[in-house]
Amino acid sequence: MTFDPDQRRSGCPVSCSLDLLGDKWSLLIVRDMVFVHKRYFKEFLTSDEGIATNILTDRLGKLEAAGIISKRPDPDNGRQVIYTLTDKGVALVPLLVELVCWGALYDNAPDADADIVRSISKDKQRFVNKLTNAIQR
Amino acid sequence: MTFDPDQRRSGCPVSCSLDLLGDKWSLLIVRDMVFVHKRYFKEFLTSDEGIATNILTDRLGKLEAAGIISKRPDPDNGRQVIYTLTDKGVALVPLLVELVCWGALYDNAPDADADIVRSISKDKQRFVNKLTNAIQR
DNA sequence: CTGTATCCTTAGGGATACTG
DNA sequence: CAGTATCCCTAAGGATACAG
């Protein structure tokens, strides 16, 4: 399964990004990998939004086809699979930070701590670096 | 038509943002407003991606319900309607800039000028300010 | 445990015609 | 011009069972 660039709706970078990420689930998987270091199939199933197994399978496949994540067997347990972010996936951290700030500051997301988000939005780059460095490959 | 916060899948700010913006069309409309100052129904129909009239109607309604855009009659032509970004909509500019940079630098979007995108990614804030100030309300 | 497969319902969306 | 409405097909997705 590889992503077909001919399916792009246009050459616009915004459009190309949305071709891969423009749905309600893909970025939630990346979020879980970035913010809470989830790596296993079952871990993604436990998030509050309640993704179904078939949707999770589909999105993991599409994210891998897009080169955003990669999978390998868990060295500690051959029957487990570990999903990790590629460089292309890690590069989504700034985008996720913007989604957090906008949702918190402008859409009043209930779970957001206003003080923390204000401090993040004052120095996004620092927060992006901190998150990026904490990601396990 | 107003947005119903009870339909949120969770309180997470990323999830809340995606509840409103997580599809393939909504952010393209905002993109057209931010980058090429489109304001009229017909203008949105002419973009490369080819949005259908029923989808455009639906998304304009949802964006308005979410408080991201507002509509008013064109003072120069009472039968025309002008769509403009609210403060909440203008606040999406940083997110759009991230979509541009990621699509260009990591997803090889054909229409992106690599040199320009590199210069943007070196000082995103400057570019965000420039775009934000150029938006007509 | 990690998925696949199936069933079934709903949502998305293209094409087109039509209304104020 | 700015939408609405309709038709119709496909994609998305929830629930559940099942396989390697």
Side-chain angles (χ1 to χ4, degrees):
Chain A
M1 188 178 182
T2 51
F3 176 69
D4 181 4
D6 294 341
Q7 289 183 3
R8 285 174 165 171
R9 292 172 293 171
S10 81
C12 164
V14 176
S15 172
C16 290
S17 298
L18 291 175
D19 285 340
L20 300 182
L21 306 168
D23 72 275
K24 298 209 184 302
W25 295 110
S26 297
L27 281 171
L28 290 186
I29 296 171
V30 180
R31 171 202 66 179
D32 285 348
M33 298 177 94
V34 169
F35 289 96
V36 284
H37 309 295
K38 293 190 177 180
R39 292 177 301 168
Y40 298 102
F41 189 88
K42 190 168 189 178
E43 290 181 303
F44 297 112
L45 292 176
T46 63
S47 296
D48 285 347
E49 294 82 13
I51 191 169
T53 58
N54 56 343
I55 307 299
L56 180 56
T57 298
D58 179 81
R59 292 307 192 281
L60 287 171
K62 284 180 175 165
L63 288 170
E64 192 190 8
I68 292 168
I69 67 174
S70 62
K71 55 192 285 189
R72 59 182 147 83
D74 184 347
D76 298 332
N77 179 349
R79 293 187 307 184
Q80 293 263 92
V81 172
I82 296 188
Y83 298 92
T84 52
L85 291 165
T86 63
D87 290 346
K88 187 174 177 178
V90 172
L92 288 170
V93 170
L95 185 69
L96 284 171
V97 169
E98 294 300 343
L99 280 172
V100 170
C101 290
W102 187 83
L105 296 176
Y106 292 94
D107 200 40
N108 302 311
D111 288 357
D113 182 314
D115 290 336
I116 292 177
V117 172
R118 264 193 295 273
S119 80
I120 291 171
S121 61
K122 276 180 188 161
D123 192 351
K124 287 171 188 168
Q125 189 58 52
R126 208 180 89 86
F127 192 63
V128 166
N129 292 341
K130 193 176 167 186
L131 278 171
T132 301
N133 292 331
I135 292 173
Q136 296 180 356
R137 308 297 184 107
Chain B
M1 186 179 184
T2 51
F3 176 70
D4 181 4
D6 293 342
Q7 290 183 2
R8 285 175 165 170
R9 292 172 293 170
S10 81
C12 165
V14 176
S15 171
C16 291
S17 298
L18 292 175
D19 284 341
L20 300 182
L21 306 168
D23 73 274
K24 298 209 184 302
W25 294 111
S26 297
L27 281 171
L28 291 186
I29 295 171
V30 180
R31 172 202 65 179
D32 285 347
M33 298 177 93
V34 168
F35 290 95
V36 284
H37 308 295
K38 293 189 178 181
R39 292 176 301 168
Y40 298 102
F41 190 89
K42 190 169 190 178
E43 291 181 302
F44 297 112
L45 292 176
T46 63
S47 297
D48 285 347
E49 294 82 14
I51 192 170
T53 58
N54 56 341
I55 306 299
L56 180 56
T57 298
D58 179 80
R59 292 307 190 281
L60 287 171
K62 284 180 176 165
L63 287 171
E64 192 190 8
I68 292 167
I69 66 173
S70 62
K71 55 191 288 188
R72 58 182 147 84
D74 183 349
D76 299 332
N77 180 351
R79 292 187 307 182
Q80 293 265 91
V81 172
I82 296 187
Y83 297 92
T84 52
L85 291 165
T86 62
D87 290 346
K88 186 174 177 179
V90 173
L92 288 169
V93 171
L95 185 69
L96 284 171
V97 169
E98 295 298 345
L99 281 171
V100 169
C101 290
W102 187 83
L105 297 178
Y106 292 93
D107 200 40
N108 303 310
D111 289 357
D113 182 313
D115 290 336
I116 292 175
V117 173
R118 265 192 295 274
S119 80
I120 291 171
S121 61
K122 277 179 188 161
D123 192 351
K124 287 172 187 168
Q125 190 58 54
R126 208 180 88 87
F127 192 64
V128 166
N129 291 341
K130 194 177 167 187
L131 277 171
T132 302
N133 291 331
I135 292 172
Q136 295 180 357
R137 309 297 184 106

